[in-house]
Each structure stands twice: as structure tokens, then as C-alpha cells.
Amino acid sequence: MGAVYGYVRVSTREQNEGRQLLALVGRQIPKKNIYVDKQSGKDFDRPMYQRMLRKLEEDDLIYVKSIDRLGRNYEEILEQWRILTKEKKVDIVVLDMPLLDTRRGKDLMGTFLSDIVLQILSFVAENERKNIRERQKEGIEAAKLRGVQFGRPQTSVPDNFGNVYAMWLNKEISGEEAAKKCNLSRATFYRKANIHKNGGGKKHMFA
């Protein structure tokens, strides 16, 4: 048996690596061999995982808490599993699913059953992520129907905006001066002036 490693991945939003680290306790993993990535699923830039890959040698052992730590979707999980078990020839133990322990069943039937379980779990993990995103989308749409507003709050047009706008339009003052008179940034003043020009000034409210 070779060296023993542990791999942990959390998104920067979750910050819950403690739960995964706790699961690795008692696995006789040297502290220097535990690699932690704090990257979002969107970017999936995993420098520590890549560093671990470079150190792996045949017959090494990797512990992960759950199968979705290896990839962000079904295809990537299967690809990483292939790289680790076929190319690197290391063993993997998925703590949340004892069936996914490549140290067991090294014969053809054991490998076959492990591959089936892996594909099912990978699909379930990706499907759950899709369901979460869909529920979030539905929640946002429902909130919008209730009148909840998202994004930057609207900014009221100052009372003197109309007069200042006219002075600026007639080139009596510069854009910077106009912005100061309205207590706005120059970019905000120009944005509001553009809306005002296109007929939005009557609403006295701009995004």
C-alpha cells in the first residue's frame, strides 16, 4: 500500500470544509497529504487537486467524503474517476458510499458493480444540483411576482435635476459640475440624463 491522501472541496460560498475534514479523522492521513480547494462550482479551478494529482503514485489511496467532490457534473466525475483509477492506478474510498471503495472487489465482477454504482451516484449528484438551481430560479420568479425587487435599489431623482439637466444640455455647465449640483457621480448623472432625454424624466425615478 502506498501513501494515503484526503481531498476536500468546498465553494467559497459554503465555507464548510470542517464537515469534510471531520470525516477524514481517524483515516491515518498525514496532515500534509490533505488537500483543500475552496473554489466555486462555476469556475472549478482546483489548484490543490492538480497538485495532489502530480504527487500520486501507483497504489496510493485517496479518501473523499462524497462523490461530487471529484467533479462539477456527471461527465467530469466519471472522467476524474477514470484518471485516478486507470491512469494513476490509485484506490479511492468515498466515505458517504461504502460500495465505492476500490480496495474491495478487485475482480471483474467487483469492478463492474463499482462502475455501475459510480455512474448512478454521479447522475444523482448532478441531477440534484440541477434541481437546486431550478428551485432557486422558481423562487426568484415567485418573489418577483410578489413585488420583490432584485439588483441595485432605485435612486430618486433630486428635485433640482430638471433645472441642472437643462443647464447642462445648454452647455452652461459641464457634466462634472452638473453631477456635483445633483450630488451624483458623473456616470450616474449621464445615465439619468440619457433616461430623461428618452422620456423617463416624468417618472422621477431611475434605475
Side-chain angles (χ1 to χ4, degrees):
M1 181 177 170
V4 182
Y5 294 86
Y7 179 66
V8 172
R9 179 178 65 83
V10 296
S11 77
T12 53
R13 295 184 300 276
E14 294 173 325
Q15 296 295 322
N16 64 346
E17 69 270 20
R19 181 172 58 87
Q20 294 180 56
L21 289 171
L22 186 62
L24 299 178
V25 173
R27 306 292 172 174
Q28 297 182 332
I29 307 172
K31 188 175 181 180
K32 66 178 182 178
N33 286 359
I34 296 178
Y35 291 81
V36 180
D37 276 315
K38 297 182 181 182
Q39 305 290 336
S40 69
K42 180 180 179 181
D43 298 327
F44 215 69
D45 179 20
R46 301 189 295 169
M48 299 305 293
Y49 180 77
Q50 296 302 323
R51 183 179 299 182
M52 182 182 71
L53 276 183
R54 290 192 293 269
K55 291 193 64 176
L56 291 175
E57 297 181 357
E58 187 173 345
D59 294 328
D60 285 347
L61 173 63
I62 301 173
Y63 284 97
V64 295
K65 188 175 190 305
S66 58
I67 191 62
D68 60 354
R69 300 302 88 189
L70 291 180
R72 58 183 163 183
N73 56 45
Y74 175 69
E75 290 81 9
E76 193 160 35
I77 292 171
L78 294 179
E79 175 63 10
Q80 293 306 316
W81 188 273
R82 184 193 66 78
I83 291 172
L84 292 168
T85 60
K86 308 300 183 185
E87 294 185 10
K88 294 293 185 177
K89 297 181 180 181
V90 301
D91 282 313
I92 307 174
V93 176
V94 180
L95 297 174
D96 282 356
M97 179 54 62
L99 285 174
L100 290 180
D101 184 342
T102 59
R103 298 173 301 178
R104 303 175 182 177
K106 291 286 187 178
D107 58 5
L108 182 62
M109 180 58 69
T111 301
F112 174 71
L113 291 175
S114 180
D115 286 347
I116 290 177
V117 172
L118 170 66
Q119 294 202 33
I120 293 174
L121 289 179
S122 300
F123 173 78
V124 170
E126 181 180 8
N127 195 55
E128 177 59 21
R129 283 192 292 272
K130 289 181 178 178
N131 288 337
I132 290 173
R133 288 195 295 269
E134 186 63 28
R135 288 195 294 269
Q136 289 174 338
K137 181 180 177 181
E138 291 173 353
I140 291 173
E141 292 301 323
K144 286 181 177 178
L145 290 175
R146 296 195 305 270
V148 177
Q149 296 183 352
F150 295 88
R152 293 182 304 176
Q154 293 181 326
T155 303
S156 298
V157 177
D159 293 337
N160 65 338
F161 183 80
N163 293 331
V164 174
Y165 170 78
M167 294 171 64
W168 169 76
L169 195 63
N170 292 329
K171 298 184 179 180
E172 297 175 17
I173 57 175
S174 67
E176 185 173 356
E177 291 174 318
K180 287 181 178 180
K181 288 180 179 295
C182 294
N183 197 28
L184 300 170
S185 69
R186 187 162 56 179
T188 301
F189 173 79
Y190 285 141
R191 184 172 65 251
K192 292 179 180 296
N194 186 55
I195 297 173
H196 192 85
K197 178 181 178 181
N198 293 326
K202 295 179 181 180
K203 296 180 181 179
H204 298 289
M205 188 71 72
F206 300 86

